[in-house]
């Protein structure tokens, strides 16, 4: 039997062009559907509501005697971010499996709208919904510890928030591609959740990490988004530093996007050749 | 006339690994060199035992699976490599699984899928009403799918498969789980599709149904075609299609 995979010549689809012309209506309707589905799940509710409450309590107790001046921003922001990241991790691992089990995976995979637009819609839905955790951390801190709402530069905060969502969506797209290439998705998600929390400085400044680890941190886009967020909460004193960090984040995110598009292209072929997504 | 589905010398094997330390490679040859073609407007049947390779063939035709070798073309395009020209113009229904979202009503499900097929909103609402009527779900259209019975879910899946007014529709055991009335409804839908000039490729284990519906069919056994023709041709001298089928399969099993 002749194997044609290697020899078959393909007009390479312009995967970059395709990834930039995603239909907005598809992203939007997928996002809304995903929010409905995720919110209905107990696990997601736990990640969204219980997780930030527990994190806030734990981080508060840890930071209480740390001598840190701005520990409020680490406690509230840190536990909120950890919860957001948890939501994203566990849903990107589980969502594909769930779609597979109900038989919709092959439908959305083969839809003319394009699977990438659907993936982005799902991730965006999960990410936006998970932002609620931030609010819950703040409420927990206020109710239990009378922590005031510390938000010194609200304008910058909005920008940082958008940057955070973008960077999470981009990095989750990469994860989604990697995960669809493998079947042990839940295992990998569990392995990846904690290192990201530590490396991206969600709950403590990355400066306390050894310098080789800091290098890795600097290559991860969420690190920069988190720093922007923290700057805006503590008050932006040096606005040029803020814009400089945003610039780095934009460049990193652009690179990640290119990588995600390439990875998708590889994945799209692999899963049909190896029958690995079990769309087949 | 140009065939709308063209399969020539098509092979597909699956490689799986067993064991974790010393991995043992297992290759299953699911489809072993089949050839057939379907003309526009035909209802074409794919019959065969469990594991004969019917679903594998359908998956290659609907762009979900790459052929290991051979030609697999739909609407004149390769299903692996030129799928973006095929996908908007075809659709598929898999019996026995839901294929729709639990948290949405039938109408919202169809709206969502219509969106994925880039239907414009006005056309979309008209089409949804029409299809809901066709599969007899109008009364329950606004209830969540999780409140549906199996057969109702299957009807909704059929509606989903028709949402983009496909030129070719692939159905893998579409009557599984339907009550007699539902199965009758589906047969009527299929005939109506043919009257509209659509092409239907279906698999079924229910031979009278195949005989009643199909213009032509192939019978697969262990990944190879053992018979091809109109139901009458395949039946030949046998009393029923089932007798002819059993003869063919049993002949294939005794070397
Ligand atoms: N993803 C897969 N990985 C490995 N083997 C597979 C896979 N899918 C199918 N097979 C094997 O390929 C062969 C053909 O399977 P296929 O599903 O095409 O049969 P079928 O004719 O549709 O059968 P049925 O009537 O039971 O639906 C079987 O031996 C099956 O075990
Ligand atoms: Mg099958």
């Amino acid at each position: 039997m002749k194997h044609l995979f290697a020899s078959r010549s393909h007009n390479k689809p312009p995967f970059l062009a395709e990834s930039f012309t995603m239909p907005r209506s598809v992203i939007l309707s997928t996002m809304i559907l995903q929010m409905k589905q995720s919110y209905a799940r107990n696990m997601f509710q736990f990640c969204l509501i219980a997780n930030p409450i527990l994190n806030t309590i734990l981080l508060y107790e840890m930071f209480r005697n740390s001598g840190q001046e701005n520990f409020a921003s680490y406690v509230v922001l840190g536990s909120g971010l950890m919860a957001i990241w948890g939501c994203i991790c566990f849903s990107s691992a589980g969502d594909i499996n769930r779609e597979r089990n109900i038989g919709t995976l092959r439908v959305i995979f083969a839809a003319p709208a394009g699977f990438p637009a659907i993936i982005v819609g799902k991730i965006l839905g999960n990410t936006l919904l998970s932002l609620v955790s931030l609010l819950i951390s703040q409420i927990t801190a206020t109710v239990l510890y009378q922590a005031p709402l510390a938000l010194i530069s609200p304008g910058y905060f909005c920008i940082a928030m958008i940057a955070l969502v973008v960077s999470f969506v981009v990095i989750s797209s990469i994860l989604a591609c990697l995960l669809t290439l493998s079947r042990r998705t839940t295992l990998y998600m569990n392995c990846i959740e904690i290192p990201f929390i530590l490396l991206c400085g969600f709950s403590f400044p990355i400066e306390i990490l050894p310098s080789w680890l800091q290098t890795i941190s600097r290559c991860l886009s969420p690190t920069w988004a988190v720093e922007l967020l923290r700057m805006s909460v503590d008050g932006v004193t040096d606005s040029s530093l803020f814009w400089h960090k945003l610039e780095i984040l934009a460049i990193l995110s652009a690179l990640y996007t290119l990588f995600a598009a390439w990875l998708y292209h590889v994945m799209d072929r692999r899963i049909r050749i190896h029958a690995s997504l079990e769309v087949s | 006339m140009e065939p709308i589905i063209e399969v020539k010398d098509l092979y597909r094997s699956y490689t799986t690994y067993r064991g974790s330390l010393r991995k043992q490679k297992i290759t299953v040859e699911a489809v072993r060199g089949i050839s057939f073609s379907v003309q526009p407007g035909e209802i074409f049947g794919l019959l065969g035992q469990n594991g004969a390779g019917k679903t594998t063939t359908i998956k290659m035709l609907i762009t979900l699976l790459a052929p290991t070798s051979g030609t697999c073309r739909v609407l004149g395009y390769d299903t692996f490599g030129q799928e973006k020209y095929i996908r908007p113009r075809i659709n598929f229904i898999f019996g026995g699984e839901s294929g729709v979202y639990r948290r949405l009503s039938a109408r919202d499900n169809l709206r969502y899928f219509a969106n994925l097929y880039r239907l414009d909103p006005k056309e979309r609402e008209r089409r949804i009403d029409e299809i809901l009527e066709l599969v007899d779900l109008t009364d329950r259209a606004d209830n969540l799918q999780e409140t549906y019975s199996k057969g109702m879910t299957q009807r909704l899946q059929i509606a989903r498969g028709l949402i983009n007014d496909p030129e070719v529709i692939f159905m893998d055991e579409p009557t599984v789980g339907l009550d007699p009335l539902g199965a009758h409804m589906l047969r009527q839908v299929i005939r109506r599709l043919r009257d509209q000039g659509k092409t239907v490729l279906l698999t079924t284990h229910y031979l009278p149904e195949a005989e009643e519906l199909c213009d032509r069919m192939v019978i697969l056994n262990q990944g190879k075609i053992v018979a091809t023709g109109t139901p009458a041709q395949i039946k030949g001298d046998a009393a029923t299609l089932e007798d002819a089928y059993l003869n063919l399969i049993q002949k294939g099993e005794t070397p």
Side-chain angles (χ1 to χ4, degrees), chain A residues 16-62:
Chain A
L16 285 180
E18 265 167 27
S19 34
F20 289 121
T21 54
M22 289 182 187
R24 248 169 313 176
S25 69
V26 172
I27 296 182
L28 210 69
S29 58
T30 306
M31 186 185 96
I32 294 165
L33 170 65
Q34 185 60 39
M35 285 174 159
K36 279 188 196 171
Q37 284 177 303
S38 288
Y39 189 71
R41 286 176 28 238
N42 290 337
M43 184 64 187
F44 198 91
Q45 287 173 6
F46 175 82
C47 288
L48 191 69
I49 298 163
N51 200 11
I53 297 177
L54 294 174
N55 287 344
T56 306
I57 295 171
L58 286 172
L59 282 180
Y60 179 86
E61 297 301 340
M62 279 166 63

Side-chain angles (χ1 to χ4, degrees), chain B residues 141-178:
Chain B
D142 296 302
N143 297 123
L144 295 188
Q145 187 266 323
E146 57 189 356
T147 68
Y148 288 7
S149 72
K150 198 164 140 193
M152 289 166 72
T153 304
Q154 183 68 0
R155 286 162 195 256
L156 178 53
Q157 210 209 148
I158 293 166
R160 196 221 74 225
L162 300 174
I163 193 73
N164 60 329
D165 198 14
E167 291 164 58
V168 193
I169 178 153
F170 297 85
M171 303 185 179
D172 196 5
E173 302 183 38
T175 38
V176 166
L178 288 178

